[in-house]
Amino acid sequence: MFENSRKIYVVYPRGLRTGGPEALHQLVDMLRELGQDAYLVPHPATSATPRAEQFEIYNAPEAPAPVDAEGNVVVVPEVYVADLHAYKHATPVCWWLSIDYSPTFVAGRTALRSTAGPWSSLKETLVPRLSAVKNRVDPRSLKRSRIVHAVQSSYAWAFLFSHLNVVPSLLSDYTPSAEFLSKDENGSRNHRLVTFNPVKGGDIIREVMKVCDPSIEWRPIQGMTRTEVTETLGECGIYLDLGFHPGKDRMPREAALSGALTVVGRRGSGAFYADVPIPWEHKITPGPAEVSSSADLLPRLMADLPREIAKQDSYRAAILSEKERFKREVSDIFVEQRFGKDAYDYLNE
C-alpha cells in the first residue's frame, strides 16, 4: 500500500496550540526519526498563521502542499477528512484524533440531548457548533473509499469499527513528560485543592462545587501560561475532568505525571480502561446522581490522598512509556505496513 520511495505529508492547522496539532507534529517528528521523508503541510485556511513556538521542539519541517503522486501518503486529522477525496494517486490516511468533535460523527449529540441538569447549557453551545461544521462527510462514502483509518484512542477504534465496519489502526500520541514530572519531594501539595479545565465539563463541575464540602478549594485552569498550568498541576491534590473525552485528552495525563490524582467521568475515552487506565473508583458514572456522587467521592479520596495517588502508579508508568509505544505504532503503519492493531496488541507484545 505504501511505497518505500514516498513522501508523507501531514496536514495540520498551523498556529493552533492544542493537543491535536501537537500530535501531528509528533507524527512527523517520529516518521523522520524512523527514516521517512515526512513533512507538515499547513491547511490552506491557516497558511497565514504563524507557527506555534511551543512545538519547535519537534523535527517537523513544512512543505507547501501535498503532491498527489503514486507512492506518496497524505495524512489529515478527522476535521479535514473531506479533503482526502481530492487525492486520486497518493494514499489517503485519516487520523481520528477525536470522534465527538469530528464533522463526520457527532457522537455527543444524542448523549447530550438525553442528559438533563447541568449539561443543558452545554447542549446549547456544543450541539449547534457541531451541527454547523462545514464539509461534513457521509459515513457511507468512507466505507467505499481508499482511506486508511488510524485512531488515537480505543474509544475511536471501537466507534469506527461499529459505525464504518472497518478495522482501524491504533496511532496514539505521547505526553512530553519533563516539565510535568512531580517535584513534590517536600510534601507541599495542597490535598484540598481541586483543579479543573472549565472547557472540559465545567458546567457540571460548577454544580458539584455548590454541594461539595465547603472546605475544598477549587481552581479553574483558565487564562494561564504554560508555566502556570504546570505549577497548578504540581500543587493540586486532585484534577477533575467530567468532560466528554472525545479522544485521549492530554491534561489528565499531565496531571497524573505532576503527582496529582486524576479523576474522570466515564464518557468517551474516559470510559475505556485502555485509554485512561486508572482504578474503577477514580471514575464517575454519568447520570442523574453524577453531581451528588462526585461531591461524595472527593472528600473520601482526600482522606487518604497519598494512598489513592499511589493507586495510579501504573497509569503514570504507562504515560512515561507512551513515546516508545508511539514509535512502534508509527513503524507498524508507515514502515512495516501492519494495519489493524489495537491497544491490546501492544499490551501483549
Side-chain angles (χ1 to χ4, degrees), residues 241-277:
D241 187 340
L242 300 180
F244 212 82
H245 299 271
K248 283 175 59 179
D249 285 354
R250 184 65 59 83
M251 199 167 289
R253 292 179 276 170
E254 293 172 345
L257 286 180
S258 299
L261 183 71
T262 291
V263 178
V264 304
R266 292 187 180 90
R267 291 185 174 89
S269 67
F272 285 72
Y273 185 82
D275 292 337
V276 187

Side-chain angles (χ1 to χ4, degrees), residues 37-84:
D37 196 9
Y39 303 89
L40 285 172
V41 175
H43 189 269
T46 66
S47 58
T49 306
R51 296 193 68 170
E53 293 182 1
Q54 72 187 67
F55 299 148
E56 291 178 355
I57 59 174
Y58 300 108
N59 177 18
E62 285 189 353
V67 176
D68 186 20
E70 294 291 338
N72 286 348
V73 180
V74 179
V75 182
V76 305
E78 78 290 344
V79 293
Y80 301 144
V81 65
D83 298 349
L84 287 178

Side-chain angles (χ1 to χ4, degrees), residues 217-269:
E217 302 174 43
W218 299 84
R219 185 181 302 169
I221 297 178
Q222 188 174 37
M224 294 183 179
T225 65
R226 188 67 171 167
T227 299
E228 290 170 337
V229 171
T230 304
E231 291 174 349
T232 298
L233 293 177
E235 178 186 350
C236 72
I238 294 176
Y239 173 77
L240 179 63
D241 187 340
L242 300 180
F244 212 82
H245 299 271
K248 283 175 59 179
D249 285 354
R250 184 65 59 83
M251 199 167 289
R253 292 179 276 170
E254 293 172 345
L257 286 180
S258 299
L261 183 71
T262 291
V263 178
V264 304
R266 292 187 180 90
R267 291 185 174 89
S269 67

Side-chain angles (χ1 to χ4, degrees), residues 19-255:
E22 182 164 16
L24 296 165
H25 280 75
Q26 290 176 346
L27 175 58
V28 171
D29 180 81
M30 186 60 71
L31 284 166
R32 296 179 73 86
E33 181 177 322
L34 291 169
Q36 305 302 300
D37 196 9
Y39 303 89
L40 285 172
V41 175
H43 189 269
T46 66
S47 58
T49 306
R51 296 193 68 170
E53 293 182 1
Q54 72 187 67
F55 299 148
E56 291 178 355
I57 59 174
Y58 300 108
N59 177 18
E62 285 189 353
V67 176
D68 186 20
E70 294 291 338
N72 286 348
V73 180
V74 179
V75 182
V76 305
E78 78 290 344
V79 293
Y80 301 144
V81 65
D83 298 349
L84 287 178
H85 293 301
Y87 297 99
K88 307 302 181 184
H89 305 287
T91 299
V93 178
C94 181
W95 189 9
W96 297 85
L97 295 168
S98 77
I99 289 295
D100 304 272
Y101 297 136
S102 71
T104 304
F105 300 114
V106 191
R109 292 176 66 191
T110 301
L112 289 172
R113 284 175 178 163
S114 63
T115 306
W119 285 99
S120 57
S121 62
L122 181 59
K123 287 187 280 185
E124 298 304 317
T125 57
L126 178 61
V127 174
R129 180 169 64 83
L130 291 174
S131 300
V133 172
K134 297 180 179 179
N135 297 325
R136 183 172 297 175
V137 176
D138 185 342
R140 291 172 296 182
S141 71
L142 298 180
K143 294 181 183 180
R144 300 188 298 267
S145 70
R146 302 184 300 120
I147 296 175
V148 176
H149 297 280
V151 292
Q152 185 254 11
S153 64
S154 291
Y155 165 53
W157 200 103
F159 199 95
L160 287 191
F161 180 77
S162 61
H163 284 74
L164 294 185
N165 195 30
V166 299
V167 179
S169 298
L170 187 67
L171 181 62
S172 54
D173 64 358
Y174 62 90
T175 309
S177 59
E179 61 182 322
F180 290 102
L181 288 175
S182 176
K183 303 176 181 63
D184 187 34
E185 295 95 352
N186 299 320
S188 59
R189 186 173 300 280
N190 184 348
H191 290 196
R192 306 295 292 180
L193 176 61
V194 178
T195 59
F196 64 99
N197 182 350
V199 177
K200 305 291 185 178
D203 283 18
I204 196 167
I205 290 176
R206 280 184 279 271
E207 295 298 316
V208 175
M209 293 168 63
K210 293 177 183 178
V211 298
C212 210
D213 186 329
S215 69
I216 293 178
E217 302 174 43
W218 299 84
R219 185 181 302 169
I221 297 178
Q222 188 174 37
M224 294 183 179
T225 65
R226 188 67 171 167
T227 299
E228 290 170 337
V229 171
T230 304
E231 291 174 349
T232 298
L233 293 177
E235 178 186 350
C236 72
I238 294 176
Y239 173 77
L240 179 63
D241 187 340
L242 300 180
F244 212 82
H245 299 271
K248 283 175 59 179
D249 285 354
R250 184 65 59 83
M251 199 167 289
R253 292 179 276 170
E254 293 172 345

Side-chain angles (χ1 to χ4, degrees), residues 1-7 36 70-73 334 337:
M1 185 176 292
F2 299 153
E3 302 295 333
N4 291 330
S5 60
R6 72 199 183 288
K7 293 182 183 293
Q36 305 302 300
E70 294 291 338
N72 286 348
V73 180
F334 294 96
Q337 301 184 46

